[in-house]
Amino acid sequence: MVNFICPVLNARLTSPFGWRTISGNKEWHQGIDLASPIAGLKAPIYASADGVVSRAQVLSSYGNVVMIKHSIAGKTYETNYAHLDSYSVKVGQKVKQGQKIGIMGMTGRSYGVHLHFEIHNGIWTSGQPNAVDPMKYISLINSIKENGDELTMSQYNELKNMITELQKENSELKKQLENKLDKQKVRQPLECHKDDWSWFKANGISDGTNPQDYVTREQLATITHRMDSFNTKKFKK
């Protein structure tokens, strides 16, 4: 399972992944912009997953940026945390999911305090050809410190798919059961069983208040017939 967390506690999504308009010009946004719950607050930034710091530097329009490489289920991912006010990690350093790596800022090409966050299916390269929508992997309401049991978006989607499959299987089993029940013939007690049940009531074995359960009547009558055959005599009615 690809398990990323939101790098900002209780973040606000201020700009989604994909096409957007900046100063009247359309541009492709290869990540998402996240702000803290209080506008302008320089919130802590946390590692979205376990990994190794691959960059910690000033990089063009990103400003102060940290990038982390992750190996998850045999696949390589790289996350990008840009416009930082400062960072507290160095290249080659191993970090754990939820570990503080910097402070939100507005360095580089930025119009306000926020975090530009990217997830790459593979390593980061110029032009960001491997960038994927982070909102497919994270939930905005999660935190290692305060909400450790919160599902990430990838966990939520996987659980949702499992529930859907179980519902399909349950629906199919229900149909099969209904078809089987429709094809079953209603069993009726044999006349000899009816006669023996009448004999039980007539001779005080049953006072007529016993549950009229077909299986019970049939089984009791069958035992009686076996006794009758063994004793080679007939019960009188």
Side-chain angles (χ1 to χ4, degrees), residues 119-132:
I119 295 180
H120 295 262
N121 189 354
I123 62 172
W124 181 92
T125 56
S126 181
Q128 297 82 34
N130 298 326
V132 294

Side-chain angles (χ1 to χ4, degrees), residues 133-218:
D133 185 356
M135 292 306 298
K136 293 182 178 179
Y137 295 87
I138 68 170
S139 166
L140 293 184
I141 306 176
N142 64 4
S143 166
I144 288 295
K145 295 182 179 179
E146 295 187 11
N147 297 308
D149 294 330
E150 181 73 25
L151 291 177
T152 65
M153 190 57 68
S154 59
Q155 290 173 319
Y156 168 78
N157 287 331
E158 183 167 333
L159 181 59
K160 183 179 179 181
N161 291 336
M162 289 174 62
I163 292 173
T164 299
E165 290 301 316
L166 288 173
Q167 287 175 334
K168 288 180 181 179
E169 291 179 10
N170 183 60
S171 179
E172 181 61 30
L173 288 173
K174 187 176 179 181
K175 287 181 181 178
Q176 293 178 13
L177 179 59
E178 289 174 349
N179 290 336
K180 186 174 182 180
L181 290 175
D182 289 341
K183 294 177 181 178
Q184 285 184 336
K185 295 181 179 179
V186 178
R187 296 176 60 198
Q188 298 295 334
L190 300 176
E191 288 300 319
C192 63
H193 295 157
K194 292 181 180 179
D195 293 342
D196 288 330
W197 188 248
S198 297
W199 183 88
F200 285 126
K201 289 193 287 185
N203 286 272
I205 298 176
S206 169
D207 59 5
T209 61
N210 293 335
Q212 299 298 297
D213 180 83
Y214 166 67
V215 175
T216 301
R217 295 200 309 270
E218 183 177 38

Side-chain angles (χ1 to χ4, degrees), residues 15-22 25-31:
S15 186
F17 181 88
W19 289 104
R20 65 178 182 175
T21 301
I22 299 292
N25 298 314
K26 292 190 70 174
E27 69 172 18
W28 179 255
H29 193 216
Q30 68 272 15

